[in-house]
Amino acid sequence: MLSEKIEKLINEQIRNELFSGYLYLSMSAYLSSINLNGYANWFRIQAQEERDHAMIMYNYVLRAGGRVELLAIEQPKTDFSDLGEVLKDTLEHEKKVTAMIYNIMDVANAEKDYKTIQMLNWFVDEQVEEEENATENLEKYNMLGQDKKALYLLDKEMGARVYTPPAILTAAE
Ligand code: MG
């Protein structure tokens, strides 16, 4: 069983992960509109990963005997001034998500809810990777993004990303 407090926090985080997916899909749509199709691909896959994150928590709530309650997802930002703004927003957003995960972890620790702590450990690791990727993407852009030839190559590189579902999700289904 999950405590009411933990169940509520995880349901909110399911919403937050779906919102992340919505935000990244909105970024992908914007990037397609300015013909950065490689970056659009990268963000479309990122959106898929966020939906996976939501499903990892969704599956966890069910397995732990809790009740999944889907909450309203707000509209994401749809207008961006350029690719640089997208990449900056992404890093900021991932830092916020890390703080959200840490907050749930604090509550799980206070409640000695070891199974939730165990589940959240996956997200703690994942956030290290998300912040690392977002930082790298922003730094590359800051270094090279003003050079059109370099931007063309960066876009190509981003276009090579392929989606792989997380093992934790494929194992559970
Ligand atoms: Mg996420």
Side-chain angles (χ1 to χ4, degrees), residues 13 17 20 46 49-50 53 94 97 123 126-127 130:
Q13 194 57 29
E17 297 294 335
S20 298
Q46 195 62 22
E49 280 201 354
E50 298 304 340
H53 296 167
E94 286 304 331
V97 174
F123 283 88
E126 179 68 13
Q127 283 313 116
E130 299 288 33

Side-chain angles (χ1 to χ4, degrees), residues 7 13-14 37 41 45 49 68 79 127 136-137 145 155 159:
E7 186 183 85
Q13 194 57 29
I14 290 171
N37 294 320
N41 169 70
I45 291 171
E49 280 201 354
V68 171
D79 283 326
Q127 283 313 116
E136 193 186 317
N137 288 343
D155 189 57

Side-chain angles (χ1 to χ4, degrees), residues 30-38 155:
Y30 163 74
L31 293 164
S32 289
S33 79
I34 57 167
N35 296 316
L36 286 171
N37 294 320
D155 189 57

Side-chain angles (χ1 to χ4, degrees), residues 17-117:
E17 297 294 335
L18 289 171
F19 174 77
S20 298
Y22 219 33
L23 175 64
Y24 293 145
L25 194 58
S26 183
M27 289 173 171
S28 181
Y30 163 74
L31 293 164
S32 289
S33 79
I34 57 167
N35 296 316
L36 286 171
N37 294 320
Y39 278 95
N41 169 70
W42 197 93
F43 276 93
R44 186 191 284 236
I45 291 171
Q46 195 62 22
Q48 178 63 53
E49 280 201 354
E50 298 304 340
R51 292 191 288 274
D52 290 344
H53 296 167
M55 289 313 293
I56 291 167
M57 289 194 173
Y58 181 109
N59 289 344
Y60 173 71
V61 171
L62 295 184
R63 273 181 29 233
R67 169 92 161 80
V68 171
E69 191 185 346
L70 296 178
L71 306 170
I73 305 168
E74 65 175 294
Q75 184 181 10
K77 181 170 168 179
T78 53
D79 283 326
F80 302 89
S81 56
D82 59 10
L83 171 60
E85 187 179 312
V86 168
L87 299 176
K88 237 181 279 154
D89 284 4
T90 300
L91 179 57
E92 263 171 45
H93 183 71
E94 286 304 331
K95 285 182 177 170
K96 274 190 218 156
V97 174
T98 300
M100 290 169 186
I101 299 291
Y102 287 4
N103 176 52
I104 310 172
M105 189 62 114
D106 284 343
V107 176
N109 270 309
E111 292 190 5
K112 296 190 185 339
D113 180 349
Y114 298 112
K115 60 188 183 321
T116 298
I117 292 168

